[in-house]
Amino acid sequence: DHDLVDPILHAVRTSTGRSGLRVVTPGEPRGRRRRSVLPRLAPAIAAVLVGVLVGSVLVGGPWAERDGRVGRSALAAEDVTRGVAAAATGLDAYSARFTIVERNLSPEVPERELSMRVWFEAPERFRLDVVDRTTDRRTATPTDVRLIVDEDEWYVAAPAPCPAATCPMEATAVRNRVPFSSSAPAPTDLVLPLTALAEADDVEVLGTATILGREAIRVQVPFERAASLFPFLSLGGDWRPFFERDRVRIWLDAESWFPLRWEVLPVSGARREAWAERFGLPAEPPSEPVFTVEALVARFTSPPAGVFDVPQTAIVRDHLAREVALGEVAEITGFEPLSPAETGMLEPHRAVVLAEAGAGESVVTYADGLAFLKIAETRSWSADAPFGPIDVHAEQVPLGSGVAYFEPATPARGRVLAIHAAGTDVYVESNLPRNEILEIAAGLPVTGLPMPTEWTVRRTDAAVAERVTLAQARHAVGFAVDVPPGLPDGFALASVELVRTRGVTGVTLFLRDTDVDVGAGAIRLHLEPATSLPPAVATRPVGVDVAGAEGRWTPEGSTLEWVDEGVYRSLTGPGFDLEELLRIATGGA
């Protein structure tokens, strides 16, 4: 097999060298044990460009035959999302160098050039360096950003926000970091866009192209869904704003699925123009990208020693997660942590106990490549909400002979499943697909119970809100309660709440994406008896027609209100515009 590698790689380097991208041959692994990638590729070496890690080949590739014919012209969004997900467990090490071009940062800086380097070593070593290389500079502080994750250590350094011309660098470090922490994350979508392309909804396949001398799949998603490809925006420094519905075009390598290039293109329309005016941006034609990231070099070898060393000069925060051997967890916590019957390809990674929770909380993790699974457990949970990063409006799902509560992935964390059982509370977090998480969780030796009353009933001086089923809500009120007819693809009913206030009983439906929540968040529809709209709370509401009913649109808060057949309805969808909410409310009628 190795006899075939060198000539093919030579051809790759020859064909790609003119365009700037270099894919470097994997070398001998260093440090801890790594799996060789070449044996995986051996059956396909003669047919693919070797030198990148092939995830798609394992599941038939994006060009798999369909009904006896090659599917290049019929490539669907589902093929892309499946290919990206399948590649997650195949990537052990990665480093790449990119160029960044940003336009319209300010009138003084109409165009800015930066470089970006990314290093990754499975499962929890990551580094991101952004260097501002703008030469025609009229502002004093360059946006230089550094993020390092080395398993239980995390470090970020960037210019601090300040009104002065020269802003100091500010560095923060976390020690005793919880594995796969959402508060101190490693933004690995830069390596493989697992969050941005987690599901087919909103993914538009534009076809194939040759980018940087390599065959690539070109897809397009709204900026709000692709935000995880721009993690540096939230780390510090000065960056231009982005409209949530701007288009992000991504060129994915046809074999490895890593992003070769991505760019932001403005959308047209009055809402976007009003947004641009608010931020003082000039007219931005939809055909001209305002932000471009392009790969120059990609390597699939272990990064050099010292790349992930965390500097010691920083403000330190302590997560108080004490790493222990798996066999020591029971001795420290007083209970044997639950273990799934099957974890697929994932292998045991790290186990910690949380000192800040006394000795009663364990976190056991499994990993392979970029894929991870985290199982946290406590036997002493006393809060009036589910254990873990999940709230009372999560979707109830069947799990074996019991139930669990599911929330989709966000840019900061994976998909989460909470299980409340007799004597124990568990949450499972992972970036695996939803069906795989449910299958793994069903193999835990525990039976999930419905949420207790103290979680589902919330009281204030003015109102009482109670989580109920849709059937219970319909029985409690004297009007029809239905899911809106025009929900976006991938959205479904997650939970229902009865709201009693001032002698009036209303219903709130919480509707959310079933797999990944990266922008809009939950859509809320509230219904209660009324014959007219209540007084407007926000300033400058706009009167609108909602399928023949008198309505009101409030841009501040993205809320559409109307009264129909004696029922007041309030539809709120952060990130949605009036046209989208009207379509949700009426189904396009």
Side-chain angles (χ1 to χ4, degrees):
D1 295 334
H2 286 271
D3 291 337
L4 293 172
V5 174
D6 288 339
I8 295 175
L9 283 167
H10 174 73
V12 174
R13 286 191 290 267
T14 302
S15 65
T16 62
R18 290 186 296 273
S19 63
L21 176 71
R22 292 190 293 117
V23 180
V24 182
T25 313
E28 290 298 317
R30 65 182 73 183
R32 54 193 180 131
R33 177 181 64 85
R34 318 261 359 132
R35 297 189 308 276
S36 170
V37 300
L38 291 176
R40 298 187 186 189
L41 306 187
I45 280 179
V48 301
L49 296 175
V50 182
V52 296
L53 202 62
V54 179
S56 59
V57 170
L58 301 178
V59 292
W63 319 128
E65 290 189 357
R66 299 180 186 158
D67 302 325
R69 62 186 185 279
V70 176
R72 285 176 183 263
S73 62
L75 184 66
E78 289 81 1
D79 296 300
V80 173
T81 57
R82 281 196 296 264
V84 171
T89 56
L91 187 58
D92 288 331
Y94 168 91
S95 62
R97 181 159 52 89
F98 300 84
T99 60
I100 298 175
V101 176
E102 179 189 43
R103 295 185 172 87
N104 301 327
L105 172 67
S106 67
E108 295 77 23
V109 187
E111 183 169 298
R112 189 162 63 148
E113 297 177 5
L114 308 97
S115 65
M116 179 172 72
R117 298 196 67 179
V118 177
W119 295 264
F120 168 76
E121 187 173 51
E124 281 196 279
R125 289 189 165 98
F126 179 89
R127 177 167 169 174
L128 165 67
D129 284 2
V130 176
V131 178
D132 193 340
R133 301 192 181 281
T134 307
T135 54
D136 183 17
R137 178 181 302 284
R138 300 177 195 177
T139 57
T141 303
T143 292
D144 294 340
V145 177
R146 173 168 294 175
L147 170 68
I148 303 174
V149 182
D150 187 10
E151 293 197 337
D152 64 344
E153 292 187 284
W154 183 91
Y155 169 90
V156 65
C162 68
T166 303
C167 302
M169 292 292 287
E170 189 174 84
T172 302
V174 170
R175 64 186 178 191
N176 298 316
R177 172 180 173 267
V178 177
F180 303 103
S181 169
S182 58
S183 61
T188 52
D189 259 34
L190 290 173
V191 180
L192 189 70
L194 286 168
T195 302
L197 301 178
E199 58 177 7
D201 306 320
D202 267 342
V203 176
E204 180 182 0
V205 180
L206 302 178
T208 61
T210 299
I211 182 74
L212 303 173
R214 296 184 61 80
E215 189 168 24
I217 304 159
R218 191 162 55 108
V219 301
Q220 181 171 284
V221 293
F223 182 86
E224 61 185 1
R225 184 166 290 279
S228 57
L229 281 166
F230 304 84
F232 34 80
L233 301 179
S234 61
L235 293 175
D238 196 14
W239 301 94
R240 61 156 292 148
F242 293 91
F243 187 61
E244 68 267 14
R245 301 305 292 178
D246 279 349
R247 298 160 295 154
V248 178
R249 288 186 179 168
I250 309 168
W251 284 258
L252 300 164
D253 183 85
E255 304 298 345
S256 72
W257 299 99
F258 74 83
L260 295 171
R261 173 189 172 102
W262 57 101
E263 64 183 20
V264 182
L265 291 160
V267 292
S268 56
R271 185 168 173 236
R272 210 280 182 181
E273 290 173 2
W275 171 89
E277 183 178 356
R278 188 165 72 251
F279 283 96
L281 292 169
E284 296 182 316
S287 59
E288 297 180 11
V290 296
F291 199 94
T292 303
V293 183
E294 189 166 9
L296 299 177
V297 177
R299 304 174 187 268
F300 292 85
T301 55
S302 293
V307 164
F308 304 110
D309 289 349
V310 172
Q312 299 304 307
T313 55
I315 299 171
V316 176
R317 293 186 283 117
D318 198 328
H319 276 191
L320 302 175
R322 175 185 170 192
E323 185 163 356
V324 298
L326 183 58
E328 297 176 326
V329 173
E331 180 182 344
I332 297 169
T333 62
F335 60 85
E336 192 72 36
L338 296 177
S339 177
E342 179 59 51
T343 61
M345 296 180 65
L346 307 188
E347 299 175 352
H349 172 46
R350 293 173 58 205
V352 302
V353 293
L354 300 187
E356 60 188 351
E361 184 175 334
S362 67
V363 179
V364 179
T365 57
Y366 305 81
D368 185 27
L370 280 165
F372 76 90
L373 172 72
K374 178 162 62 174
I375 301 176
E377 182 179 0
T378 182
R379 301 291 173 90
S380 57
W381 188 246
S382 59
D384 57 356
F387 174 53
I390 198 164
D391 68 30
V392 296
H393 299 127
E395 175 192 2
Q396 181 176 299
V397 295
L399 193 70
S401 59
V403 297
Y405 294 88
F406 179 87
E407 282 195 353
T410 71
R413 60 153 175 80
R415 298 168 184 85
V416 180
L417 191 75
I419 305 171
H420 172 64
T424 190
D425 285 271
V426 181
Y427 78 82
V428 179
E429 180 182 348
S430 180
N431 58 359
L432 292 172
R434 172 182 168 126
N435 63 320
E436 292 185 32
I437 297 171
L438 293 175
E439 184 177 346
I440 290 171
L444 291 170
V446 65
T447 300
L449 302 172
M451 291 185 187
T453 302
E454 55 265 32
W455 294 6
T456 60
V457 178
R458 295 175 293 117
R459 290 179 169 85
T460 67
D461 292 339
V464 176
E466 178 185 4
R467 176 172 176 148
V468 296
T469 66
L470 183 59
Q472 288 171 327
R474 286 169 171 165
H475 180 74
V477 298
F479 52 84
V481 180
D482 295 307
V483 173
L487 279 181
D489 290 341
F491 273 71
L493 178 66
S495 66
V496 182
E497 204 170 58
L498 276 178
V499 182
R500 299 179 177 91
T501 179
R502 302 182 306 276
V504 176
T505 299
V507 178
T508 302
L509 306 184
F510 294 85
L511 311 136
R512 66 190 311 167
D513 199 297
T514 58
D515 196 54
V516 60
D517 192 354
V518 290
I523 299 171
R524 289 183 298 135
L525 175 63
H526 179 74
L527 308 93
E528 64 179 57
T531 56
S532 61
L533 291 172
V537 176
T539 57
R540 293 185 296 179
V542 179
V544 294
D545 178 271
V546 184
E550 180 183 352
R552 182 168 64 205
W553 159 245
T554 307
E556 180 185 31
S558 296
T559 299
L560 176 67
E561 303 167 273
W562 72 104
V563 174
D564 183 27
E565 297 183 351
V567 178
Y568 163 76
R569 305 167 193 265
S570 170
L571 184 65
T572 301
F576 287 91
D577 60 22
L578 173 59
E579 182 180 348
E580 291 167 324
L581 287 181
L582 283 170
R583 188 162 53 247
I584 292 169
T586 65

